[in-house]
Amino acid sequence: MVENPVAGGFYFISDKFYSDFPDPYLMPNKADEDGQAHNRPCYYAYLDSKTGLYWVIPISSKVEKYQKIAERKAKKYGRCDTILFGKVLGRKSAFLIQNMFPVTAEYFESQYINQKDGVPVRVDGAFEKEIRKSTQRVIALVHNGRSGLVFPDVLGIERKLMMAKNVYNS
């Protein structure tokens, strides 16, 4: 467990989350192979200051696949806030806002650390602003009843997390 997750950091989510919140549209952790954990997918953490919940956004190295999807969405809707592209450790990655979901700090298993220098992985400031803006926009649209933007049942997960949070905080 990560003691004090930082907004804008990258994390891995514990298997406990997936058992506590079963949803066929969540991107599950990759299975261990030969006793070795894959630590995938990795998630970018956005902190919702209104609720205190983190919204985690999976990143993918399948840039070409998601570039085509993002282009189709942009052509159809004039923009695409659900898939963004930025560099992680110098490599272009797809940030899948369409697959994001809320979590509390207890579900962060570990932080993504650059093995070369031992420093937590981050994105540059300009791209971080873009991620926050798109994430806020998509969360607001989902809260206003817009369906189809995010695949998991994020409102159901959020409701359960907030109920649990209120129980523990009272």
Side-chain angles (χ1 to χ4, degrees), residues 100-157:
M100 73 177 170
F101 55 90
V103 300
T104 53
E106 73 181 280
Y107 292 108
F108 286 109
E109 184 169 288
S110 61
Q111 188 169 22
Y112 187 24
I113 304 293
N114 184 340
Q115 301 224 337
K116 289 183 182 175
D117 59 15
V119 174
V121 174
R122 300 290 294 215
V123 294
D124 72 56
F127 184 64
E128 189 158 14
K129 285 181 185 176
E130 184 180 348
I131 295 170
R132 282 196 313 259
K133 186 176 178 182
S134 290
T135 302
Q136 289 168 347
R137 185 179 295 124
V138 171
I139 291 170
L141 288 168
V142 168
H143 281 137
N144 286 323
R146 179 84 185 274
S147 62
L149 291 173
V150 180
F151 299 129
D153 178 14
V154 294
L155 295 178
I157 295 169

Side-chain angles (χ1 to χ4, degrees), residues 13-140:
I13 303 300
S14 71
D15 288 335
K16 183 175 179 357
F17 178 83
Y18 299 99
S19 62
D20 288 353
F21 299 93
D23 184 310
Y25 296 105
L26 290 172
M27 293 179 76
N29 285 337
K30 299 290 182 189
D32 291 353
E33 278 184 19
D34 300 324
Q36 293 292 104
H38 282 285
N39 284 338
R40 291 187 319 208
C42 180
Y43 294 89
Y44 170 86
Y46 165 80
L47 179 61
D48 183 348
S49 59
K50 293 178 200 146
T51 63
L53 296 177
Y54 292 89
W55 287 74
V56 292
I57 301 164
I59 61 171
S60 174
S61 60
K62 296 178 182 177
V63 173
E64 278 187 42
K65 170 187 175 179
Y66 290 108
Q67 189 74 49
K68 290 175 185 172
I69 295 168
E71 287 169 4
R72 280 195 306 266
K73 287 182 176 187
K75 188 175 182 178
K76 185 174 182 178
Y77 302 110
R79 68 189 300 151
C80 180
D81 283 322
T82 57
I83 303 172
L84 300 178
F85 301 92
K87 290 198 175 190
V88 177
L89 293 176
R91 290 179 302 234
K92 189 172 182 182
S93 296
F95 287 70
L96 306 176
I97 294 172
Q98 66 187 11
N99 295 92
M100 73 177 170
F101 55 90
V103 300
T104 53
E106 73 181 280
Y107 292 108
F108 286 109
E109 184 169 288
S110 61
Q111 188 169 22
Y112 187 24
I113 304 293
N114 184 340
Q115 301 224 337
K116 289 183 182 175
D117 59 15
V119 174
V121 174
R122 300 290 294 215
V123 294
D124 72 56
F127 184 64
E128 189 158 14
K129 285 181 185 176
E130 184 180 348
I131 295 170
R132 282 196 313 259
K133 186 176 178 182
S134 290
T135 302
Q136 289 168 347
R137 185 179 295 124
V138 171
I139 291 170

